Amino acid sequence: MSDATIDETIEVRPACEDDREAVLAFCARTWDDGDYIHYVWEDWLNDISGALLVATLAGRPVGLAHLRMMSAEEGWIEGVRVDPEARRRGVARVLISRTLVTAHERGATVARYFTSSDNVASQQLFDRFGFTRVAEVLHFTADALGADERAEEEIALARATEQDAERLWEWLERSNLAPLNGGLE
């Protein structure tokens, strides 16, 4: 069967509340520890500046993508999911294509996304649409210091507050990350 034949059966449309159960069912298998889509579903469904899109095969939801308009000219693609049973059938390609068209229709002149550095399939798909990598986040882990290895002064981690925003922003703009992030902070 050719791609053209497969694509004809894939439809992309705005999501509706009736899609919730089917979408959350296939999203539950995204990662071993679940997914966050159930937390954002209502917000994304009601996002009037963006769009929550569902791809269907034979009327059954098999794909999801959310377009968030970050500004009048910038779209952010997030939450791209395809039911494991529908993968390798062109669903993601058609879904991303329609998401980019929707972004353009809403005025976006640039679109961005973020994915894990080990999500090669997603990277290859977006590469085919002309996306380029502007940064890579590396994750490091280490064992916690033992009591005898700690510095004299205790260092405690704390969640940043609104009062910290200006100082953190200034640091970020001056950091060695600034030349590497394509203007994104």
Side-chain angles (χ1 to χ4, degrees):
M1 186 179 284
S2 73
D3 271 353
T5 305
I6 292 171
D7 289 350
E8 290 174 15
T9 64
I10 300 168
E11 294 183 16
V12 177
R13 60 169 172 72
C16 64
E17 188 57 45
D18 290 345
D19 297 323
R20 180 186 175 99
E21 187 177 323
V23 168
L24 295 184
F26 69 74
C27 286
R29 300 180 303 237
T30 302
W31 296 291
D32 291 339
D33 59 349
D35 200 341
Y36 65 86
I37 301 299
H38 65 280
Y39 294 114
V40 296
W41 175 264
E42 289 301 321
D43 289 339
W44 286 3
L45 189 63
N46 297 307
D47 180 3
I48 58 172
S49 68
L52 182 58
L53 302 175
V54 169
T56 64
L57 282 170
R60 182 176 69 89
V62 294
L64 177 76
H66 180 247
L67 168 68
R68 177 183 309 276
M69 292 301 295
M70 302 300 287
S71 71
E73 299 86 27
E74 183 176 350
W76 180 265
I77 300 171
E78 59 189 344
V80 178
R81 305 286 187 272
V82 175
D83 186 333
E85 294 175 19
R87 290 184 184 156
R88 312 295 307 160
R89 295 172 64 183
V91 173
R93 183 173 43 82
V94 173
L95 185 59
I96 296 306
S97 177
R98 186 65 210 155
T99 304
L100 290 169
V101 167
T102 302
H104 179 73
E105 290 171 348
R106 286 184 163 61
T109 57
V110 66
R112 304 182 196 282
Y113 84 107
F114 182 89
T115 193
S116 173
S117 61
D118 63 356
N119 190 343
V120 176
S122 180
Q123 292 168 26
Q124 289 173 342
L125 173 65
F126 277 87
D127 287 350
R128 287 173 42 194
F129 285 100
F131 282 73
T132 56
R133 184 180 303 194
V134 296
E136 183 174 349
V137 177
L138 301 176
H139 298 274
F140 295 94
T141 59
D143 293 332
L145 296 175
D148 56 333
E149 299 170 321
R150 289 191 188 135
E152 288 181 27
E153 183 179 322
E154 286 290 321
I155 299 172
L157 296 177
R159 184 177 298 267
T161 66
E162 214 171 298
Q163 291 75 26
D164 299 317
E166 187 174 327
R167 182 175 54 84
L168 292 171
W169 188 259
E170 287 173 6
W171 173 86
L172 191 57
E173 289 181 318
R174 288 190 315 267
S175 79
N176 62 350
L177 298 173
L180 306 173
N181 66 10
L184 300 175
E185 309 292 349

